[in-house]
Amino acid sequence: MGEISEMGEMRTAAATGGQDRHRIAVLALPGFPPFELGIPSRVFGSAVDEAGEALYEVVVCTADGRPVLSDSGFTLQPAAGPEALVTADTVIVPPTHAMPELADGGPLPPEVAAAIAGIRPGTRLVSICSGSYVLAAAGLLDGRPATTHWNLAAEFRRAYPRVRIDEDVLFVDDGDVLTSAGVSAGVDLCLHLIRRDHGVAVTNRAARMCVVPPWRDGGQAQYIDRPVPEPTVATTTATRAWALDHLDEPLTLAELAAHARMSLRTFTRRFRDEVGMTPVQWLTGQRLEAARHLLETTDLSVDLVAHRSGFGSGNSLRQHMRTAFGVSPIGYRRTFRARDMTSEVIATAALP
């Protein structure tokens, strides 16, 4: 992803004492699946600063303020109506299983169309799974890259040919419009947004509270057509955990395979089956995440950051960061620090 996507700014800074928190409105539509609807409240609700103050305000609303029936047979009483969309900094649209007309490119129900039309220009828009159909039906994805659940991609492409759909990724960050694949990819996208807004440390705290991995690259494959290993089959889980504790060492594929007590060929195959990428791709991603954390939270030189994250040299780190994020280590640190200073100024101004 490019620099804009990775380093995008929050429209509302989180000020000291919980004032001016970033406001997120989650639009509950008829036929919503409970798990996906609950993801934003759970993940963003776990994002706190060092003092334990909440960084987001999350409200669940409906298009007309009335209760809506889930796809699991219970009714949700919303906290707000469409007015929450008007004042939100981010609007998140979970999926719905009660609007089959959208699968054919049909129009949104009038109350939903009106509610979405009331969203302020510049508001960050997010969809989870087939919530992308709602954004597409509103014309908000025309000409943009997007994703949805892999099993719906062909149908989606027929219904909304102006959208550049990519079913091979977990989520797509197009700056002010972001879309995710199914179910747990919504968790990945919410964590990605926290990382954009507040950096690695806050994201890691939120992920620990939710007991989920803090980072899965959006470009990772959505769907791996492999059977789940039998419990008696050895996995690469322990080796991945071991590698995370030894990122500063020049780990080789042979060393990883030896730690897993597998042949090189078996380890490589099993790793890809379980993770969806090669060991080298995974290791590079973990090292980039470690480097970003050090650049955000320390004043270490680029060479030291490179050494501690396992890249060996500053030149190697620069090359990998430019390839992955379109920005140099110094540029990344400068942008992150500048954003933090802006947040501090806004927070100070909000104090009495």
Side-chain angles (χ1 to χ4, degrees), residues 277-306:
M277 61 181 71
T278 69
V280 172
Q281 290 171 329
W282 177 84
L283 194 58
T284 299
Q286 300 302 320
R287 283 176 166 158
L288 282 169
E289 190 71 0
R292 290 167 66 183
H293 177 73
L294 290 171
L295 289 168
E296 292 177 16
T297 59
T298 75
D299 293 317
L300 294 174
S301 68
V302 171
D303 286 337
L304 276 175
V305 169

Side-chain angles (χ1 to χ4, degrees), residues 29 33 36 93-97 102 127-135 147-149 152 155-156 180-183:
L29 297 168
E36 286 89 332
V93 184
T96 168
H97 295 154
L102 300 187
S127 69
I128 296 175
C129 193
S130 61
S132 55
Y133 281 73
V134 177
L135 297 185
T147 193
T148 191
H149 193 288
L152 301 173
E155 173 187 272
F156 188 99
S180 80
V183 194

Side-chain angles (χ1 to χ4, degrees), residues 213-290:
W215 180 77
R216 285 201 300 170
D217 181 21
Q220 181 173 328
Q222 255 193 67
Y223 176 59
I224 309 166
D225 191 9
R226 301 288 185 185
V228 176
E230 294 294 330
T232 56
V233 174
T235 74
T236 64
T237 303
T239 296
R240 278 180 273 139
W242 175 80
L244 291 176
D245 290 333
H246 296 81
L247 286 179
D248 59 335
E249 300 175 14
L251 300 174
T252 66
L253 188 55
E255 288 174 319
L256 294 173
H259 182 274
R261 298 181 180 180
M262 300 179 192
S263 69
L264 198 61
R265 183 176 180 179
T266 298
F267 176 78
T268 302
R269 183 182 68 251
R270 193 154 295 161
F271 194 102
R272 187 158 198 146
D273 287 349
E274 293 175 7
V275 182
M277 61 181 71
T278 69
V280 172
Q281 290 171 329
W282 177 84
L283 194 58
T284 299
Q286 300 302 320
R287 283 176 166 158
L288 282 169
E289 190 71 0

